[in-house]
Amino acid sequence: LNKILKKIKIVHICTPFKNHFSHLKQFSYSKKIIIEKPFLDKISELNKVKEIYKNKFLLVNYIDTFNPLINKIKKTLEKKYFYQITLNYSKQSKYYKNKNEFALEWLDHPLSLILLLFKKFPEFKIKVNQLRKQNNLFNNKIIINYNFKKFNLEIKLNCSKDMQRNIQIHKKKEVETFHFYQNSLFKDQKKIFQSKKSSFDNFYSILKSGKKNPTQNFEFHKKIILQRNKILKKLKKNKL
């Protein structure tokens, strides 16, 4: 079995979050490793993984950071004609065994985008933290507010009955909505762009090339882990 395993060139780790660290160690012989988010729980784990993988190909699937709309989002942000940014992620139909499991599963999506686009996390405030229960399962409605110097940013989790996965840039006269599910851009209610590619196209292009993603390094992962854990700690304390 070990001989067969060592012939495998790519390993995609899709196991429960609590097993990520042990599986990263187990499959460290592989030439390429893909792992689902959330990546790791502790900085101590990250430091050990960094030693093992410092010269290896390791890609965390922060899938929306690979979306073909990212360059268009960056160009819009460069113009600085906006006052509000909203990151919407909703899937109200999905419930979890544990009370804060929804937040754990979903937070890395908006956090990875914030870090990619703005390079830092300012201070945040949890505006809404509502727990929903159904047949002994849970999900949450959460709103987190970040105050950047020149604009406000909100993460909205499960605030819509519709499935959502988008970033909205609010300007004085219009709202631009970048839909990650649809790979499309809307100005108000009008579609103005449709990409022929998806996040997965770009993701697998990076995987095929074998080149390290320049936006993903261990400092990037560290900032996300610290920020996620800081938010989760406050969510556990505060029910709003």
Side-chain angles (χ1 to χ4, degrees):
L1 180 60
N2 286 335
K3 288 182 179 180
I4 294 171
L5 287 174
K6 289 184 178 181
K7 289 181 180 179
I8 297 172
K9 294 181 179 179
I10 301 174
V11 172
H12 192 164
I13 298 173
C14 307
T15 55
F17 173 57
K18 63 182 181 179
N19 298 326
H20 281 188
F21 180 55
S22 62
H23 287 157
L24 281 165
K25 291 191 293 182
Q26 181 182 351
F27 295 107
S28 62
Y29 58 79
S30 178
K31 291 183 178 179
K32 297 178 182 178
I33 291 279
I34 307 164
I35 187 163
E36 289 302 311
K37 58 84 207 152
F39 181 23
L40 293 165
D41 181 33
K42 302 173 183 176
I43 298 302
S44 59
E45 293 175 343
L46 180 71
N47 289 336
K48 290 175 183 176
V49 169
K50 181 179 178 180
E51 286 301 311
I52 297 169
Y53 285 91
K54 59 184 177 182
N55 295 317
K56 294 176 179 283
F57 183 94
L58 174 64
L59 194 62
V60 180
N61 192 13
Y62 305 119
I63 192 63
D64 293 333
T65 66
F66 301 103
N67 195 278
L69 298 175
I70 290 297
N71 285 336
K72 287 190 172 291
I73 294 170
K74 288 180 176 179
K75 287 180 181 179
T76 298
L77 295 175
E78 284 172 1
K79 295 176 183 178
K80 299 180 181 179
Y81 299 139
F82 60 91
Y83 64 91
Q84 167 80 27
I85 292 175
T86 309
L87 288 154
N88 297 295
Y89 285 84
S90 289
K91 196 173 183 180
Q92 291 189 9
S93 61
K94 188 164 184 180
Y95 282 73
Y96 298 81
K97 290 182 179 180
N98 300 313
K99 289 183 178 180
N100 286 295
E101 195 174 351
F102 166 79
L104 173 63
E105 285 292 315
W106 284 87
L107 270 172
D108 279 19
H109 284 304
L111 293 181
S112 60
L113 285 168
I114 293 170
L115 194 54
L116 175 69
L117 296 170
F118 304 110
K119 314 301 181 189
K120 64 179 182 179
F121 297 110
E123 290 299 312
F124 69 88
K125 181 180 180 181
I126 296 172
K127 294 174 66 178
V128 176
N129 181 21
Q130 296 177 2
L131 184 68
R132 299 187 181 105
K133 187 176 180 181
Q134 186 180 93
N135 300 323
N136 293 318
L137 298 174
F138 305 92
N139 74 19
N140 309 73
K141 176 182 178 180
I142 299 167
I143 299 177
I144 302 166
N145 186 76
Y146 287 93
N147 278 314
F148 284 83
K149 284 185 178 180
K150 296 185 178 180
F151 63 92
N152 186 63
L153 185 148
E154 280 190 338
I155 297 174
K156 289 188 174 183
L157 302 178
N158 266 350
C159 293
S160 172
K161 292 181 180 179
D162 299 323
M163 282 185 64
Q164 284 188 321
R165 199 179 188 125
N166 65 55
I167 180 170
Q168 292 181 303
I169 300 177
H170 301 257
K171 302 177 181 180
K172 287 184 179 181
K173 295 184 179 181
E174 64 189 17
V175 178
E176 291 189 359
T177 304
F178 300 80
H179 291 281
F180 297 126
Y181 276 133
Q182 303 169 18
N183 309 302
S184 59
L185 166 59
F186 281 68
K187 278 191 179 179
D188 295 326
Q189 301 301 316
K190 184 179 179 181
K191 185 193 285 188
I192 62 168
F193 175 77
Q194 177 66 57
S195 175
K196 293 180 180 179
K197 290 187 175 182
S198 70
S199 300
F200 292 101
D201 291 322
N202 289 341
F203 178 82
Y204 286 111
S205 178
I206 292 171
L207 179 62
K208 188 177 179 180
S209 73
K211 295 179 181 178
K212 289 187 177 182
N213 186 339
T215 62
Q216 277 199 26
N217 53 48
F218 285 98
E219 187 62 26
F220 186 91
H221 302 314
K222 179 180 178 180
K223 288 178 181 178
I224 290 175
I225 292 169
L226 290 172
Q227 186 70 8
R228 182 219 306 141
N229 289 348
K230 192 175 179 180
I231 292 171
L232 289 173
K233 187 176 180 179
K234 284 196 174 185
L235 288 173
K236 288 176 183 177
K237 286 183 178 180
N238 302 316
K239 300 295 177 188
L240 305 175

